[in-house]
Amino acid sequence: MGFVLVLALGLAACGETTDTAEPPAEPTNVVLSSTTSTEDSGLFDELIPAFEAANPEYKVQVIAVGTGEALELGRTKDADVLLVHATADEEVFVEEGYGIERADVMYNDFIIVGPASDPAGIKGAADIEAAMTAIQKAGDEGKTKFFSRGDDSGTHKKELQLWPAAGVEPTPTPETDDWYEETGQGMGDTLKIASEEQAYTMADRATYLSMRDALDLEILFEKDPTLLNQYGTIVVTEAKNQAGGQAFWDWVLGDEAQKLIGEFGVEEFGEPLFVPNAK
């Protein structure tokens, strides 16, 4: 009888342990502010699930905007970690105390795309300055247009560096340069507009290749040394989820993420859309 009573009490105790076990904690939200190019290219469809599988305590919310806006979200603490592509601005962001540290993640390059007819004749141009000057000349002659993102993105920032180097300073108003227009849109939408209008634009290679089949545009100028497109990551200082931001920063610079980045696009396009270069 005593043995039965002890056994019964033991089973009851086991039952209590099972009933009071705490359920697994819900993953905490990590806000990743990044560019439309990383979103439009499909890269995050590979990276985010892999990060969350390796770090089940976190769930990533991506805010895809231009780099200027992404940095501003960091300044206001509305993002925990950044993945952007305007190195000089990123370094200032860290120097001003808004970010803990910046590190290279990957790179690709910018390209000039336009209609196959190439009314500005930039295919085979000697350098990027000659290509930009030819677009401006053809625009002034009413032969073509150039669509700028006009959104303070990394792509837009790079484009604005190229015109003065070519001795051109276009302004997006019909009264001055009716061949130069700002879309105020992301990379994907700007490519669609340029395609519909049979005009030129500057794009990152990854977004163009991922959308190429839906566009009536060709790569007309590429491979100039000034068209390097470097991406970096920064953890926001005193972010709402700084631990989560740091976890993403560490992971995207690590072997698993760098391997995924290096393989992304190879099967479909025969080349990676981004080249990993974390140190």
Side-chain angles (χ1 to χ4, degrees), residues 224-241:
D224 190 278
T226 62
L227 296 180
L228 177 71
N229 183 24
Q230 177 68 55
Y231 289 79
T233 184
I234 306 170
V235 180
V236 175
T237 304
E238 298 180 352
K240 294 171 185 174
N241 190 350

Side-chain angles (χ1 to χ4, degrees), residues 2-278:
F3 173 76
V4 173
L5 179 59
V6 171
L7 181 61
L9 290 172
L11 290 172
C14 290
E16 286 175 9
T17 302
T18 302
D19 292 342
T20 58
E22 293 185 6
E26 287 292 318
T28 59
N29 203 41
V30 178
V31 179
L32 168 61
S33 186
S34 190
T35 70
T36 61
S37 57
T38 46
E39 177 94 317
D40 290 343
S41 67
L43 178 63
F44 283 152
D45 294 337
E46 298 287 332
L47 288 189
I48 301 306
F51 168 76
E52 292 176 344
N55 300 269
E57 66 271 36
Y58 299 117
K59 184 172 182 58
V60 177
Q61 175 192 351
V62 175
I63 301 178
V65 289
T67 286
E69 189 174 345
L71 290 168
E72 186 58 31
L73 288 171
R75 289 187 181 93
T76 58
K77 314 297 183 190
D78 290 314
D80 301 309
V81 62
L82 312 178
L83 181 57
V84 288
H85 62 141
T87 301
D89 289 21
E90 295 161 38
E91 290 172 345
V92 170
F93 182 88
V94 173
E95 288 169 6
E96 292 177 343
Y98 293 108
I100 296 173
E101 184 179 357
R102 181 204 170 276
D104 288 342
V105 176
M106 60 191 184
Y107 67 90
N108 59 14
D109 62 342
F110 294 109
I111 53 178
I112 306 296
V113 298
S117 59
D118 190 16
I122 68 170
K123 197 164 188 174
D127 51 36
I128 186 61
E129 289 82 5
M132 302 299 271
T133 301
I135 291 172
Q136 177 259 332
K137 183 173 183 295
D140 282 344
E141 294 171 352
K143 296 178 180 178
T144 193
K145 284 189 174 184
F146 182 95
F147 283 96
S148 167
R149 283 179 58 170
D151 62 350
D152 198 34
S153 61
T155 306
H156 183 220
K157 290 173 185 290
K158 171 61 76 170
E159 178 222 318
L160 293 182
Q161 294 171 8
L162 298 177
W163 291 114
V168 180
E169 292 190 28
T171 53
T173 59
E175 294 76 18
T176 52
D177 296 308
D178 58 4
W179 59 272
Y180 182 85
E181 294 187 24
E182 291 183 340
T183 66
Q185 303 293 317
M187 194 70 262
D189 288 336
T190 298
L191 280 165
K192 290 175 185 176
I193 292 169
S195 180
E196 291 167 1
E197 297 290 332
Q198 284 293 277
Y200 293 89
T201 192
M202 191 174 85
D204 67 283
R205 186 180 296 273
T207 305
Y208 169 75
L209 288 178
S210 67
M211 297 179 62
R212 178 174 56 188
D213 292 345
L215 300 171
D216 189 14
L217 297 172
E218 294 186 2
I219 298 176
L220 297 175
F221 187 86
E222 60 181 335
K223 309 279 189 195
D224 190 278
T226 62
L227 296 180
L228 177 71
N229 183 24
Q230 177 68 55
Y231 289 79
T233 184
I234 306 170
V235 180
V236 175
T237 304
E238 298 180 352
K240 294 171 185 174
N241 190 350
Q242 187 169 308
Q246 186 67 53
F248 181 84
W249 194 89
D250 292 337
W251 182 83
V252 82
L253 299 176
D255 292 343
E256 180 185 3
Q258 291 287 289
K259 184 173 184 290
L260 285 172
I261 291 168
E263 293 172 348
F264 179 65
V266 172
E267 184 175 344
E268 185 173 357
F269 303 107
E271 61 179 290
L273 297 193
F274 301 90
V275 179
N277 69 333

